């Protein structure tokens, strides 16, 4: 037994070393292409996928070894076969693209076989790294092209030969595995993934958390409010819900429980706050970067458009915590940690303030988004030495860089499945057919159409990471939403919100399942709590769909903007108190029902509807205040 552990650790170390080399190469290529010089596109995509292929195989084996599962000779042989077949297919892509550039060249049946091998390899890696959901998405794309002509109704298409499938899904730089989305990820998103992980590794998250506790120390929610504030700031940089939960939740969730909140509520509020980091400017994670490229809208404009919807969402979370604290009788309490801001904390604040200012400044002077990410990484590497923890352990920066490259490589594997779906939908026109079906279902009502789109978006994005969820939803639902007369940016923002919200939607609520074990809560009950607390995320997209002025950069007018902003905040408070069944006192069932009704009617576009609703809402709150004061006086008199 004593020799088993060292023997078992040998393959882990070997896999880790080989993976580190591949990640190093991928990271250096990313740094070079982002800020130093351009790399020829087809070569960049081919090398990027070749390194991602190697990292994906090694990471999957590492996970098996860490889990204590035996690594057999058969499994090693299968992985070697996957590697050879994958490299053969990638070489074939590069060869065919080179021939197409130098001469008139048509994809042949001979070129189809390495393409099919590549599809099988990357789908298998997608299954290992991301689960059956994304694997099913990619497999559907392949099988639909091959056999969709035999399906009934709108699903039927004209049919594709083996050669045409290979051309649509593999030997193509506009769609398919090596298409435009892959180009966006490699040229723009990858550098920000590395940046986000480096921010976490250099200690920026710890400093953010301490500032969050300082700001919220005099609120009823205390650590719950701090978790919301910290997760909004940390999440905008990391771009990953699960990483956000692990980064802040391991510290905040136990403190939320100590304050008196239930384990389910503690996990639920952390999950909802962490998922919102991806809709919070200025970084917003990978999906916002992809949105800027897909819509042709500048990244700064995306940031500006996302600002107020994100602030409304976090206001709803603050409201939910305040109401819950009142319901449970939790008052302001001193924190159980030292929340004093030291000189070291002030100095360390440059770790997150400096790089973010570099990103914004680079964009303002006209640099590309990828160049902004590059200079942010350079600034962070220059600043990280001010953190004493980094000086004591400089290798943490190195480990973070490799971890960021690994995260990017595994994301690229997921993008392969998305690329397959893109190629399939584009080649068959299925997305436009579905748009027509939705148009028939909706009739003449924009609200009913958006409701159908929301339902479809939540189902399509269920259990998926944000970027793949957003891409799948916009591909399928985007044409239908734009057909309603909604602008392209509004349609993408609408879909983006539900891509994020799908991580909170039961039964496959990955954010809740990540937070529940930390709190010792039931995962399914945490999912329902997260869904309740994050309900505003399901309402806000409807608000900016009907009132685009909220997005600022479209149809902006100051007075209408202020009016809908005030109504939105009022609606959120009524909605939060109704969901909790409590405001300043316990609400009766009729009051709860009336608050729900008034909250929605406050947002109606017709003044003859929303003005009386606001008056009734104000009366409800005034009645609650008066009843609460009367109850307090009665209690004092009786005592």
């Amino acid at each position: 037994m004593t020799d088993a552990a060292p023997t078992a650790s040998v393959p882990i170390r070997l896999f880790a070393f080989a993976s580190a080399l591949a990640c190093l190469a991928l990271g250096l290529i990313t740094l070079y292409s982002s800020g130093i010089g351009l790399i020829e596109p087809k070569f960049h995509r081919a090398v990027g996928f070749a390194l991602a292929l190697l990292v994906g195989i090694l990471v999957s084996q590492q996970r098996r070894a860490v889990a204590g599962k035996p690594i057999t000779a058969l499994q090693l042989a299968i992985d070697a076969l996957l590697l050879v077949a994958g490299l053969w297919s990638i070489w074939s892509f590069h060869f065919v693209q080179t021939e197409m550039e130098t001469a008139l060249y048509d994809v042949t049946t001979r070129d189809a076989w390495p393409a099919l091998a590549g599809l099988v390899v990357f789908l298998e890696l997608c299954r290992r790294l991301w689960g059956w959901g994304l694997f099913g998405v990619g497999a559907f794309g392949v099988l639909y092209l091959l056999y969709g002509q035999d399906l009934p109704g709108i699903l039927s298409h004209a049919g594709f030969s083996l050669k045409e499938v290979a051309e649509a899904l593999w030997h193509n730089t506009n769609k398919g595995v090596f298409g435009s989305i892959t180009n966006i990820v490699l040229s723009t998103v990858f550098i920000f993934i590395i940046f986000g992980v480096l921010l976490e590794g250099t200690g920026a998250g710890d400093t953010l958390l301490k500032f969050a506790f300082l700001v919220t120390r005099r609120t009823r929610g205390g650590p719950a409010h701090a978790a919301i504030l910290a997760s909004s700031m940390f999440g905008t940089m990391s771009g990953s819900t699960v990483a956000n939960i692990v980064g802040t939740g391991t510290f905040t969730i136990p403190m939320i429980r100590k304050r008196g909140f239930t384990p389910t509520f503690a996990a639920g509020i952390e999950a909802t706050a962490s998922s919102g980091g991806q809709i919070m400017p200025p970084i917003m994670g990978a999906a916002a970067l992809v949105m800027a490229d897909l819509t042709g809208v500048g990244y700064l404009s995306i940031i500006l458009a996302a600002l107020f919807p994100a602030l409304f969402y976090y206001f709803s979370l603050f409201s939910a915590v305040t109401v819950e604290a009142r319901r449970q009788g939790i008052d302001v309490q001193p924190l159980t940690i030292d929340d004093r801001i030291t000189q070291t904390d002030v100095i360390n604040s440059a770790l997150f303030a400096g790089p973010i200012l570099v990103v914004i400044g680079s964009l303002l002077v006209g640099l590309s988004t990828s160049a902004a990410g590059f200079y942010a990484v350079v600034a962070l590497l220059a600043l990280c030495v001010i953190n004493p923890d980094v000086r004591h352990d400089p290798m943490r920066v190195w480990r973070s860089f490799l971890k960021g490259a690994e995260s990017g490589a595994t994301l690229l594997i997921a993008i392969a499945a998305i690329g397959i779906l893109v190629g399939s939908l584009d080649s068959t026109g299925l997305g436009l057919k579905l748009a027509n079906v939705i148009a028939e279902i909706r009739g003449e009502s924009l609200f009913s159409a958006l409701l159908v789109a929301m339902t479809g978006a939540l189902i399509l994005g269920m259990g998926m990471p944000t970027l793949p969820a957003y891409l799948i939803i916009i591909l399928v639902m985007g044409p239908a939403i734009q057909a309603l007369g909604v602008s392209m940016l509004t349609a993408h923002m609408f879909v983006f919100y539900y891509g994020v919200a799908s991580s909170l939607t039961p039964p496959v609520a990955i954010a809740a399942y990540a937070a529940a074990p930390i709190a010792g809560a039931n995962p399914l009950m945490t999912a329902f709590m997260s869904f309740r607390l994050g309900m505003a995320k399901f309402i806000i997209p409807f608000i900016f769909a009907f009132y685009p002025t909220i997005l600022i950069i479209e149809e902006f007018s100051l007075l209408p903007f202020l009016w809908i902003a005030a109504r939105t905040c009022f609606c959120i408070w009524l909605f939060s108190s109704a969901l909790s069944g409590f405001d300043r006192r316990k609400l009766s069932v009729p009051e709860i029902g009336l608050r729900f009704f008034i909250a929605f009617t406050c947002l109606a576009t017709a003044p003859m509807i929303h003005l009386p609703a606001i008056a009734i809402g104000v009366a409800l709150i005034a009645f609650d205040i008066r009843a609460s004061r009367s109850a307090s006086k009665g209690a004092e008199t009786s005592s």
Side-chain angles (χ1 to χ4, degrees):
M1 291 297 291
T2 55
D3 295 333
T7 303
S9 66
V10 170
I12 298 177
R13 289 199 298 267
L14 288 175
F15 292 141
F17 178 72
S19 179
L21 291 179
C23 289
L24 173 62
L26 196 51
L28 292 176
I29 288 172
T30 301
L31 288 173
Y32 180 85
S33 65
S34 299
I36 300 173
L38 294 175
I39 299 176
E40 201 277 323
K42 69 176 184 297
F43 179 76
H44 193 186
R45 298 178 203 190
V47 171
F49 263 113
L51 290 170
L53 168 70
L54 180 58
V55 172
I57 291 173
L58 292 169
V59 167
S60 66
Q61 287 288 18
Q62 272 182 272
R63 290 179 182 178
R64 287 188 61 84
V66 170
K69 297 178 181 178
I71 300 174
T72 64
L74 177 61
Q75 289 167 338
L76 292 175
I78 290 172
D79 281 354
L81 183 62
L82 289 175
L83 180 62
V84 171
L87 292 175
W88 174 47
S89 61
I90 292 169
W91 173 86
S92 176
F93 161 79
H94 189 270
F95 170 79
V96 169
Q97 291 303 314
T98 303
E99 290 296 309
M100 286 181 173
E101 291 174 356
T102 56
L104 291 174
Y105 186 87
D106 287 328
V107 175
T108 65
T109 305
R110 184 182 62 183
D111 299 321
W113 295 113
L116 289 177
L119 294 173
V120 170
V121 168
F122 279 100
L123 284 176
E124 165 59 14
L125 284 181
C126 195
R127 182 194 65 79
R128 292 186 185 183
L129 298 174
W130 295 98
W132 288 98
L134 272 178
F135 170 83
V137 165
F140 167 79
V142 177
L143 295 174
Y144 184 58
L145 279 182
L146 287 172
Y147 304 109
Q149 67 272 16
D150 299 323
L151 295 175
I154 64 165
L155 295 177
S156 178
H157 57 67
F160 291 82
S161 66
L162 204 60
K163 181 181 72 172
E164 290 170 330
V165 171
E167 188 171 7
L169 302 183
W170 194 262
H171 296 296
N172 201 312
T173 55
N174 295 318
K175 58 186 179 181
V177 173
F178 295 93
S180 57
I181 295 176
T182 293
N183 182 54
I184 294 169
V185 171
L186 283 171
S187 62
T188 303
V189 174
F190 215 116
I191 188 68
F192 278 91
I193 293 174
I194 292 175
F195 171 57
V197 178
L198 277 173
L199 269 171
E200 179 187 353
T202 52
D206 298 335
T207 305
L208 275 175
L209 195 57
K210 198 161 187 180
F211 275 100
F213 273 107
L214 175 68
V215 171
T216 60
R217 69 188 186 281
R218 299 195 184 280
T219 64
R220 279 178 177 265
H225 281 135
I228 296 169
L229 189 60
S231 294
S232 68
M233 294 187 291
F234 186 76
T236 189
M237 297 183 294
S238 73
S240 168
T241 298
V242 175
N244 199 356
I245 290 169
V246 173
T248 60
T250 50
F251 187 69
T252 58
I253 287 175
M255 295 196 67
I256 296 170
R257 290 191 60 183
K258 285 182 181 178
R259 178 56 66 97
F261 293 100
T262 64
T264 302
F265 184 85
I269 198 66
E270 179 60 51
T272 49
S274 294
S275 69
Q278 295 171 89
I279 59 174
M280 187 69 187
I283 306 299
M284 297 174 61
L289 297 163
V290 175
M291 188 194 303
D293 278 278
L294 291 180
T295 59
V297 177
Y299 184 50
L300 275 176
S301 297
I302 296 287
I303 291 172
L304 192 59
L307 178 60
F308 280 94
L311 291 177
F312 290 142
Y313 175 67
Y314 277 100
F315 172 71
S316 75
L317 295 186
F318 268 83
S319 301
V321 169
T322 300
V323 170
E324 186 68 18
R326 286 178 179 176
R327 191 178 71 82
Q328 296 191 31
I330 298 172
D331 294 318
V332 177
Q333 301 170 21
L335 289 173
T336 56
I337 62 167
D338 182 7
D339 64 337
R340 290 173 299 176
I341 298 297
T342 64
Q343 184 179 0
T344 302
D345 294 321
V346 174
I347 294 172
N348 281 353
S349 66
L351 287 173
F352 59 86
I356 287 178
L357 289 174
V358 167
V359 170
I360 296 172
S362 299
L363 294 172
L364 287 174
V365 299
L367 294 179
S368 67
T369 310
S370 57
F374 171 79
Y375 288 117
V377 169
V378 172
L380 181 60
L381 292 175
L383 289 169
C384 69
V385 294
I386 67 176
N387 187 350
D389 294 335
V390 173
R391 293 198 299 272
H392 293 153
D393 182 18
M395 290 301 292
R396 66 187 289 174
V397 178
W398 173 251
R399 291 192 296 269
S400 297
F401 179 77
L402 294 181
K403 182 182 175 183
E406 182 183 302
S407 297
T410 54
L411 176 63
L412 204 56
I413 300 294
I415 294 302
I418 302 301
I420 292 171
L421 182 66
V422 171
S424 180
L425 292 178
D426 186 76
S427 300
T428 60
L430 181 60
L432 294 175
K433 293 177 184 177
L434 290 174
N436 293 331
V437 171
I438 292 173
E440 292 177 7
I441 294 173
R442 72 180 173 90
E444 299 300 320
S445 169
L446 173 61
F447 178 78
S448 63
L450 291 176
L451 203 60
V452 172
M454 178 197 77
T455 305
L458 291 174
I459 293 171
L460 288 170
M462 199 172 287
M464 299 254 182
T466 301
L467 179 57
Y470 159 70
L471 288 171
I472 291 171
I473 297 164
I474 196 62
L475 288 168
V476 177
M477 311 300 295
I481 299 173
Q482 287 180 250
L484 308 172
V486 175
S487 71
M488 178 183 290
L489 176 61
T490 304
H492 277 255
M493 286 290 290
F494 186 91
V495 160
F496 176 44
Y497 260 70
Y498 290 114
V500 175
S502 63
S503 68
L504 299 175
T505 309
V508 190
I510 55 175
Y513 292 163
I518 302 173
N522 179 286
L524 189 59
M525 296 308 296
T526 302
F528 283 109
M529 177 63 76
S530 303
F531 182 73
R532 194 199 93 186
L533 294 170
M535 190 65 74
K537 197 180 287 182
F538 299 88
I539 300 171
I540 290 170
F542 282 86
I543 297 174
F544 60 67
F546 282 93
Y547 299 95
T549 188
I550 286 290
L551 299 181
I552 298 179
I553 65 171
E554 292 191 342
E555 306 176 27
F556 180 75
S557 183
L558 182 60
L559 289 179
F561 170 81
L562 294 175
W563 181 228
I564 186 57
R567 284 157 58 195
T568 300
C569 291
F570 190 59
C571 162
I572 285 172
W573 181 261
L574 289 174
F575 199 69
S576 297
S577 58
L579 282 171
S580 186
F582 202 92
D583 195 334
R584 292 176 178 271
R585 61 184 179 85
K586 186 177 180 180
L587 301 176
S588 64
V589 173
E591 284 180 295
I592 292 172
L594 196 53
R595 285 192 180 221
F596 274 127
F597 178 74
I598 295 301
F600 286 113
T601 50
C602 280
L603 301 174
T605 54
M608 62 184 300
I609 297 176
H610 68 242
L611 289 176
I614 291 170
I616 296 171
V618 171
L620 283 171
I621 291 176
F623 175 77
D624 180 67
I625 293 172
R626 184 175 178 180
S628 175
R629 287 175 178 173
S630 298
S632 299
K633 288 179 181 178
E636 289 174 4
T637 303
S638 62
S639 62

